[in-house]
Amino acid sequence: MTYSVHLKREKKNFIAHRGLLHGPDEELENHPEVIMRALEEGFGVEFDLNYVDGVWVLGHDKPQYQVPFSFIRNLVYVGGDVNGYPRARLNFHRVFIHLKDMKTVEAFHSLTKDELESNLSPNARYQYNWFYHVNDQMTITSGGVPWVHPYANYVPAGSAWVVPIELQNAESMSNRTVWGKPDYYCVDHTRQLWEHVNDYMSLPSLADFN
């Protein structure tokens, strides 16, 4: 069993797809508490965001969980000033926001532009790491991270790859050709895969695989 030397082992490099830690689950995906739990455990997180009839709603195939925008803001920022507005950058490259349609992109961009022009958050334009795509092999997040489709022809170094569910197992992770050189792995079996990588890579024989 040979691990790629490029396979990251830090929790932050494993992105909980739709907040999930234990595999696909339509009942739990994109739930606010699930998203928060993944971050609290130290993982990165990706979630789906919609703007519907003037409100922000989490959900992939359909809007499911209405949240105030402060929920999204507080996932990324921590602390606050005298007005209670969060300022300190915390999770910029741990929170990946998938905007689900062009109207959501428009509303999101407009809101962050307004924040930028206010006195509350001078860096608002850069606090959110978001992206939008349909079937593109790759798109670039607002934070400059290449976000790669599960079945792209090639996974470039430094990217975030949405790993196909059928590859999310120990055997597939041992194949350097399959897993390539991304910086981030967006997976549903987040905790299991991270624990497997760390358990294996902590063995004394690790040098044998370099």
Side-chain angles (χ1 to χ4, degrees):
M1 183 179 293
T2 305
Y3 275 93
S4 166
V5 295
H6 302 286
L7 190 59
K8 309 297 181 182
R9 60 187 300 189
E10 298 295 330
K11 275 191 171 183
K12 65 182 180 181
N13 296 106
F14 284 78
I15 303 170
H17 186 219
R18 303 173 191 169
L20 297 170
L21 295 175
H22 303 287
D25 190 325
E26 293 184 0
E27 297 298 320
L28 292 178
E29 66 181 29
N30 286 303
H31 192 288
E33 292 183 5
V34 172
I35 293 170
M36 292 178 64
R37 186 176 302 118
L39 282 175
E40 288 169 356
E41 290 198 21
F43 296 106
V45 68
E46 178 266 356
F47 60 87
D48 301 300
L49 182 64
N50 308 264
Y51 188 70
V52 182
D53 297 328
V55 297
W56 299 99
V57 190
L58 303 174
H60 181 258
D61 295 322
K62 61 181 180 180
Q64 291 178 284
Y65 308 107
Q66 182 176 335
V67 293
F69 194 80
S70 59
F71 168 81
I72 300 163
R73 181 189 298 131
N74 290 333
L75 292 176
V76 180
Y77 271 44
V78 66
D81 59 14
V82 292
N83 298 312
Y85 194 95
R87 285 176 176 269
R89 289 164 64 91
L90 173 67
N91 291 326
F92 180 72
H93 274 139
R94 287 180 59 210
V95 177
F96 292 81
I97 306 170
H98 186 175
L99 306 183
K100 296 302 292 181
D101 56 39
M102 295 302 288
K103 289 186 177 180
T104 302
V105 171
E106 180 181 46
F108 198 93
H109 178 72
S110 177
L111 186 148
T112 54
K113 181 180 178 182
D114 290 343
E115 288 189 350
L116 180 67
E117 294 173 350
S118 75
N119 293 323
L120 294 177
S121 181
N123 295 314
R125 178 179 295 173
Y126 308 103
Q127 74 183 40
Y128 305 109
N129 191 17
W130 62 269
F131 65 96
Y132 166 79
H133 73 150
V134 184
N135 294 315
D136 328 47
Q137 288 207 11
M138 187 188 76
T139 188
I140 304 293
T141 75
S142 63
V145 179
W147 186 267
V148 183
H149 189 277
Y151 301 104
N153 293 329
Y154 181 77
V155 181
S159 64
W161 180 35
V162 183
V163 182
I165 191 66
E166 63 268 21
L167 296 183
Q168 294 185 36
N169 55 68
E171 182 179 356
S172 292
M173 292 187 75
S174 68
N175 188 330
R176 78 169 63 214
T177 303
V178 170
W179 280 72
K181 304 177 182 179
D183 274 357
Y184 302 94
Y185 313 97
C186 185
V187 294
D188 299 83
H189 296 278
T190 316
R191 185 183 293 164
Q192 176 186 356
L193 295 179
W194 176 78
E195 289 177 348
H196 176 77
V197 169
N198 278 269
D199 287 346
Y200 184 81
M201 294 185 74
S202 64
L203 295 176
S205 58
L206 172 63
D208 296 338
F209 303 99
N210 288 339

